[in-house]
Amino acid sequence: MPSKPPIISLKSVHKYFGTYHALRNINLDVEEGQKIVVCGPSGSGKSTMIRCVNGLEQHDEGDITVNGHMMTTDEKTGNLIRQEVGMVFQSFNLFPHMKVIENLMMAQRMVRKKTKAEARDTGMKLLERVGISAQADKFPGQLSGGQQQRVAIARALCMNPKVMLFDEPTSALDPEMISEVLEVMTELAREGMTMICVTHEMGFARSVADRIVFMDEGEIVEAGEPETFFANPEHNRTRKFLDQIISH
Amino acid sequence: MQEIINWSDEFLAGAMVIIQLFFVSLLMVIVWGLLGATAKLSNSRIARGIANGFTVLCRGIPEFLLLLIVYFGSAVTLTNIARSWDPEIRFMDIPPFWAGAFAISLVIGAYATETFRGAFLGIDKGLVEAAKALGLTRFQVFWRLRLPMMWRLALPGFGNHLLSLLKDTALVSVIGVQGILFTAQQATTVNHKPFTMYLTVAFIFLALSTVIVVTMKCIEKYAYRHLEAAR
């Protein structure tokens, strides 16, 4: 039986910011339904890598294929890919002048061409799923950080994406709000969503990830299943990083 | 007082003229401001060059002078063109109302260009990325996110431009637009009461600018209701 091609595939990807070599020869395949956690010190290229996956950054060399589409500089191709890839940001990025439910409805109406009623319906269902349907008619600024991030997750899910990218989704949150966001993410993982999460939440990584990718200085140093990754990291750099984040 | 009553019909008509002038120029100001700001922020060197030339020129020349140049310049040109068809024609112009509205809109439009540009630059990049990540096209991002965010940020500065615009409508009496200042000048030649007549004009302007200030306050209240709610 021929196996399905990976839903995300990065092949020899390089990215430069001016003369700075931000991504060095990145190779990564993600199968449908897999959960990948990406970790590494700041400036290691984690965010840049996942931002290349949906074309928020353009890579300079190599091939990125998402859901059968090869990423090009062409805006149409980029849009086609972005419509199937949800993204959650560190700073939530909810549209402040729109109510919560309007935040969820906008892309459904503009991109999926749904009617107002359909979009509202889907929006309310997803707000319920992340546990904040009571806040639908508030503005984002009236919500706590954890609530805002859950709205952001719901907003991405409204588009019925095939893949979800998380770019340090809990890093801007107060400690007591981290778990409510991680719970939503764990639930999503359990339902079979394909996910790439940049995060330092190692507990989440251990329980959810199929594979942990460790990056440093723009390259993937090592990647492996959580057990072996945490118990027997191959590389010194990985060991050092794990020591630093776990000892505190 | 009697003199004001005697001329009240003319003052009313004059007020209507400057109100129309205000709204017609306002529309043009918004167009110039948006075009100018998007051009200045575009990647095209030509567009940026044209927009820079526009703001340097229209902010650098006294508006009174620009008004004369636009009106008489267009009149001279039109007359020359018309004469090449029919040598009998002695004078031809763009209606003073439209020439006036156009000239004023250029000046205020140049200021609005800078206000809008600043507002566009003030938009949180993360929001634009979020909209993009949801699959919106560049045009949709502009229409549904950048523009609604921009005008909110531009509002306080734009309120100032509206007041300048209103006051500039006084200038057009010089090319024969029959606004309230024109009325006052006419009345003065008859009744020799310049102080009363000009004071009347001042009060009308004050009343109209008060309407603008109050309206802007209401619009700001609506525009920033999400911030008010978040307090």
Side-chain angles (χ1 to χ4, degrees), chain A residues 161-213:
Chain A
K162 296 208 161 60
V163 179
M164 284 286 284
L165 306 175
F166 291 86
D167 189 2
E168 303 205 30
T170 56
S171 301
L173 293 175
D174 291 332
E176 74 271 21
M177 293 172 183
I178 291 177
S179 66
E180 66 187 61
V181 171
L182 290 181
E183 268 165 37
V184 170
M185 291 168 63
T186 309
E187 185 61 31
L188 198 61
R190 225 171 263 145
E191 287 164 19
M193 176 64 77
T194 311
M195 295 162 63
I196 303 183
C197 311
V198 174
T199 182
H200 292 146
E201 296 297 331
M202 287 302 132
F204 172 80
R206 203 186 282 268
S207 69
V208 167
D210 295 306
R211 217 169 354 138
I212 301 184
V213 173

Side-chain angles (χ1 to χ4, degrees), chain A residues 51 54 56 75 79 82-83 85 87 89 93-98 106-107 110-111 113 139 141-142 155 159, chain B residues 124 126-140 144-145 148-149 152 223 225-226 229-230:
Chain A
R51 287 162 62 83
N54 71 348
L56 285 185
E75 212 209 324
N79 265 326
R82 283 188 284 274
Q83 287 174 16
V85 178
M87 185 157 189
F89 301 85
N93 293 343
L94 296 176
F95 309 128
H97 61 300
M98 296 181 191
M106 182 172 88
M110 306 295 293
V111 179
K113 310 289 177 205
F139 288 105
Q142 293 171 275
R155 178 174 69 177
M159 298 298 284
Chain B
D124 181 354
L127 299 180
V128 175
E129 286 188 345
K132 236 176 123 181
L134 285 164
L136 271 70
T137 64
R138 205 193 295 210
F139 180 76
Q140 287 171 331
R144 293 304 309 268
L145 184 74
M149 294 304 300
R152 284 174 164 84
R225 68 195 196 287
H226 60 282

Side-chain angles (χ1 to χ4, degrees), chain A residues 61-103:
Chain A
E61 287 168 43
D63 293 332
I64 298 179
T65 318
V66 182
N67 197 27
H69 300 289
M70 173 102 82
M71 180 64 82
T72 63
T73 51
D74 175 43
E75 212 209 324
K76 264 201 179 137
T77 320
N79 265 326
L80 209 64
I81 290 174
R82 283 188 284 274
Q83 287 174 16
E84 307 302 330
V85 178
M87 185 157 189
V88 175
F89 301 85
Q90 181 177 351
S91 48
F92 327 138
N93 293 343
L94 296 176
F95 309 128
H97 61 300
M98 296 181 191
K99 290 177 177 167
V100 165
I101 186 71
E102 291 166 346
N103 263 277

Side-chain angles (χ1 to χ4, degrees), chain B residues 53-73:
Chain B
F54 164 63
T55 50
V56 166
L57 220 67
C58 294
R59 291 192 303 168
I61 300 173
E63 40 234 279
F64 185 66
L65 202 56
L66 191 72
L67 176 69
L68 295 176
I69 293 171
V70 166
Y71 176 67
F72 289 110

Side-chain angles (χ1 to χ4, degrees), chain B residues 42 45 51 61 65 79 100 103 106 141 153 160 165 178 223:
Chain B
S42 82
R45 196 176 284 188
I61 300 173
L65 202 56
T79 307
L106 286 183
V141 172
L153 291 170
N160 274 337
L165 178 62
Q178 303 188 349

